Amino acid sequence: MGGGLFNFLLVWMLVLALLCYCHKIGQLVDKGTTRLFAIIPVICIFLLLPLDISIFTLRALSSFFLSWLASFKLLLFALDQGPLSPRPPLSLPLFIALACLPITIRHNPPPNFQELVTVNGNQDLEKLVNGEDNDTPSQELPKKGLISTPLKYFIKFLLLVSFGYLYTKEEYIHSKIILLVYVIHIYIGLELILAMVGTVARAFLRVELEPQFDEPYLASSLQDFWGKRWNLMVTSVLRPAVFNPVKSIFSRFMTKKWTPLPAAMASFLVSGIMHELIFYHIGRRKPTWEVTGFFLLHGVCLTIEIVIKRELNCSWGLPRVVAAPLVVGFVVATAMWLFMPTVVRCKIDVEARMEIIAFINSVKGVYIYLKKVL
């Protein structure tokens, strides 16, 4: 464990040094080819660094933070785009935080941003691809939930603890139920970790940050799920890095109305490939491309959903109480079919289960010790 922590600290010391270099490059070199060639070696290093971390959780998080988010943000930065290229330029601490952490600074939306978008014949299809349908309000609309945010996180934390108890009784539970629990475990664990990172970053940077999840279990469509509720940091990076360039390329071969469709498929393809890389970092196993198949399947289904709405001029949807279980059921079922086999093959489920059980045992130990002392 000690050696693993030491390697982790070395990796992130190198990350900080490289990000300082990139920040200086941004000051000295204009956007374009020269800056891109200066930053590409850093991106290549970020793609490999997680392999030097031996602790499971730290390796998984570093892979997501560095190989995916930081690499794409730096690629956009080389072209003077994305969250690292605002005006005025970012200070060094803020540049480093935004580059390597899954956070987005919240900016005030324009006055008309909160208006709902109606699906009609004159609507730009890109708004549909980006999830701006009228099934749900825009993410920027203020919401007043029945449960406060801290209480939601506490409930989800209790669910994780209860999963730990289920894992100790795994031999008595059907394997499909355990697999379903793993799916929920991945979502809750990822949301809690990103929320904790955001809380720490907010405290140190003194800025208001965007939430990274928006109750995806309430999604009323696949557009709503992927565009406005699930892992929004990734969505905000893929749009300028993949969606917009591909849309621009295809505008030369087809009408503007349909160019967002191949752009959306390209975004799902890149997302699948990056997930394969993360799983390779975690499990050190060659990809079988099932995860990429999962994302391509959802890209195809989302495209079909968009075309149907566009062609039928749909300005309505199923009630959320009906649509949400259908959407979440489809996501969970396809995840168990195509996504979870890779999780099991890389033994991510075993590592996560061991960490949850170890946490429960440590809490029990502290409780017994305090009981004896007091």
Side-chain angles (χ1 to χ4, degrees), residues 247-258:
K247 178 175 177 289
S248 177
I249 292 172
F250 274 87
S251 65
R252 305 171 187 174
F253 312 110
M254 59 176 65
T255 61
K256 180 182 178 181
K257 182 174 69 172
W258 299 113

Side-chain angles (χ1 to χ4, degrees), residues 12-153:
W12 277 90
M13 287 174 62
L14 178 58
V15 168
L16 294 178
L18 291 173
L19 289 177
C20 290
Y21 160 80
C22 291
H23 185 261
K24 195 64 178 179
I25 287 294
Q27 296 175 341
L28 300 177
V29 181
D30 291 335
K31 66 177 181 179
T33 305
T34 304
R35 186 190 292 186
L36 179 62
F37 277 110
I39 289 179
I40 280 181
V42 176
I43 295 175
C44 294
I45 293 173
F46 281 3
L47 294 177
L48 298 175
L49 275 180
L51 292 171
D52 289 331
I53 302 174
S54 59
I55 300 174
F56 162 73
T57 301
L58 299 179
R59 185 169 68 248
L61 291 177
S62 297
S63 179
F64 175 50
F65 292 176
L66 298 178
S67 299
W68 191 339
L69 296 183
S71 295
F72 276 84
K73 290 177 184 179
L74 289 176
L75 180 62
L76 290 170
F77 174 67
L79 305 175
D80 204 28
Q81 299 179 29
L84 302 182
S85 302
R87 293 292 180 269
L90 297 171
S91 63
L92 178 59
L94 194 55
F95 179 90
I96 292 174
L98 288 177
C100 64
L101 295 179
I103 58 175
T104 305
I105 296 178
R106 173 174 289 174
H107 301 287
N108 294 326
N112 63 344
F113 188 81
Q114 296 181 354
E115 296 178 1
L116 299 184
V117 180
T118 302
V119 182
N120 54 48
N122 298 323
Q123 182 183 8
D124 187 348
L125 189 57
E126 182 177 356
K127 294 178 181 179
L128 289 174
V129 174
N130 291 340
E132 298 177 16
D133 57 3
N134 72 321
D135 293 341
T136 56
S138 169
Q139 183 199 340
E140 298 292 336
L141 285 171
K143 301 182 182 68
K144 293 184 179 179
L146 297 177
I147 306 176
S148 65
T149 299
L151 182 56
K152 288 178 185 178
Y153 287 139

Side-chain angles (χ1 to χ4, degrees), residues 178-191:
I178 291 295
L179 200 61
L180 175 61
V181 171
Y182 288 154
V183 173
I184 302 172
H185 183 162
I186 289 174
Y187 156 60
I188 294 178
L190 183 60
E191 181 175 13

